[in-house]
Structure formats: C-alpha cells, structure tokens
Amino acid sequence: MSVERIIDQHEGFRSSIIIRAGFEISYDCPQPTPMLLMLSPHSSRLSDIMATQRIDFFPTMSQQTYHDSFGNFCTRIVAPQGPLVIASSFNLRDSGQPDPQYPQAMQHPVDLLPDAMLLYLLGSRYCDTDKLMEIAWSRFGHLPPGWGLVQAVCDFTHRHIVFGYEHASATRSASEAYAEQRGVCRDYAHLAITLCRCLNIPARYCTGWLGDIGVLPPHGPMDFAAWFEVWLGDRWHSFDARNNTPRIGRILMARGRDATDVALVTTFGTCTMTGFRVVTDEVEPGEILPY
C-alpha cells in the first residue's frame, strides 16, 4: 500500500492523534516463578505518554525495574503460585504520520561505520547470517547499496513468507523461515534483518504496538508486532517486511539483536499462559477514559 493511499484513508491527517494502547496477559503458575517482563513503551516514547504508564498485577506484588543495555525498560517480579494477570493501559500522542521515508539515505562501507553499529552486522540467535550469506549476495549483490537495497530485501521477504498465526514457532531461525516460507511477523523481521546484515547493513529487531490506524477493514485481532530498523546515513530507519508499507501509530516497546533480547515475558520456571489480549486504537479526545 502506498503512502498516498494511507493518507487518503486517514483523511489527510490531523496535526497529531491519540492512541490508547495496552494489554492483559494471564498465566497460571504451579509454583512461585521469577519473571522478566519487557512490556513498557521504550524510553524514546516516554515524552508522548499522556500520563505515567504503569503495569498492574493481580494479585498485587512487588516489582523491580531497570533499563537494559539496549535502553529497554524491564520489570522483574516473582509471580506467586496460582493465577496471575498482568495488565496495562495508557494514552499516547502520536504524529499521525506514516513511517518516514528517506530514499536518498546512503549505506556506509563497513570501515566507515560507527563502532556501535558493528554489533548489528553479526549473527545472533535467530539471525543466522552464516547460513544465508551466499543467498543474500546471489539475490541482492547486483543492486546498488542504500535505501533501495533494504526495500528490495523487504519486498522479497514480504513475498517469500506466507503469514499465519498457525505457523508461529518460538525457535524458528531466519534460515528456517527462508526454507519453510511461512511464519509470523517475527519471522519476517528475522529474515529481513539477516539478509541486511549479510549485505553489510546494520539491522536490529524491534517490537511494540502497531494498530490498524489508516488501514481499511477488515482488521485482524490485535497483537504485538515485530519490525526492524537499519542504519543508513546517520540514523536508524524503520522497515516492516510483514506489512511492507509505511504505517501510522507505531509504538516502540523494545529493541535488540533479535527476539531473544526483547522477549515480552521470560519465565524462569514452568507456567501456562491462559489469556492474551492487546489493545491499540485511535481515540478522539472526548473518548479518553481515566486511567
């Protein structure tokens, strides 16, 4: 879908929009279970939140928070034995604009990249660059470097993988997604990231909220989304191989090398997820509800 189409659907945009975002996740724990949560908006979006965002726990319990090495906001708890509900809801101001496009953004040679970018050229748990290096160069090596090369990777990944929640796998790597040609948004992101890294483009994994703002119905069930960022020119730029079109209202939650670094909930013990609901809706100012 083109940027123009999104603009038409969204009636030319207002100066900004308000998004209500949140979630409710339920577990059943057969024993007290330490958990690491990454369920808060990224620090880069804190100034857009209209009131302090908090995570509520039922039953109530103590929590500890910290920022990890990627700048992600993390919460530590010990879930008690029995049922647990983790919930949050907040309002956030957004520009109402689709993802920015910079087709002239240039790709730097590896030897001219900032030191901090080199990490995002390396293989990682789900981005097995060693298995896709030859494929990446055979498919894309003839293209000029830069924005157009990343878009070509997105176009290919978007066509190559068939989306379906029934295809979800917590252990699928990028090379396996390439071979199986099926998956969910994390698989699109992992494959595109891996191909970019093979082509010497620093790339990192992102997760967060992405509603259907500016998209014609029918809309699917809300879920957290995965996309990726690449370093071109002097900044990071968002790309989305799953949707493969600029989108409105992307709310970053966490960044990392791949899904390992941004797991929503990491449990240090056996427990069962019993409920999962995500909310991401545009609201009018008069519709804003108290927290």
Side-chain angles (χ1 to χ4, degrees), residues 127-196:
C127 297
D128 42 355
T129 52
D130 55 332
K131 295 183 179 180
L132 289 175
M133 186 70 69
E134 184 176 345
I135 291 170
W137 282 97
S138 65
R139 285 190 174 274
F140 305 104
H142 65 288
L143 298 176
W147 186 277
L149 177 55
V150 180
Q151 187 57 58
V153 168
C154 285
D155 292 342
F156 168 78
T157 303
H158 182 75
R159 294 191 304 265
H160 189 74
I161 296 179
V162 175
F163 179 87
Y165 286 111
E166 69 275 15
H167 303 322
S169 168
T171 61
R172 183 183 293 120
S173 69
S175 66
E176 291 168 337
Y178 176 84
E180 297 172 15
Q181 300 184 44
R182 60 183 183 177
V184 291
C185 57
R186 63 177 267 161
D187 299 299
Y188 288 80
H190 283 149
L191 179 55
I193 289 169
T194 305
L195 293 172
C196 285

Side-chain angles (χ1 to χ4, degrees), residues 241-258:
R242 160 70 178 100
N243 295 292
N244 203 29
T245 188
R247 293 288 295 270
I248 301 166
R250 205 180 291 276
I251 304 174
L252 178 68
M253 185 159 54
R255 298 184 179 114
R257 293 165 298 175
D258 59 30

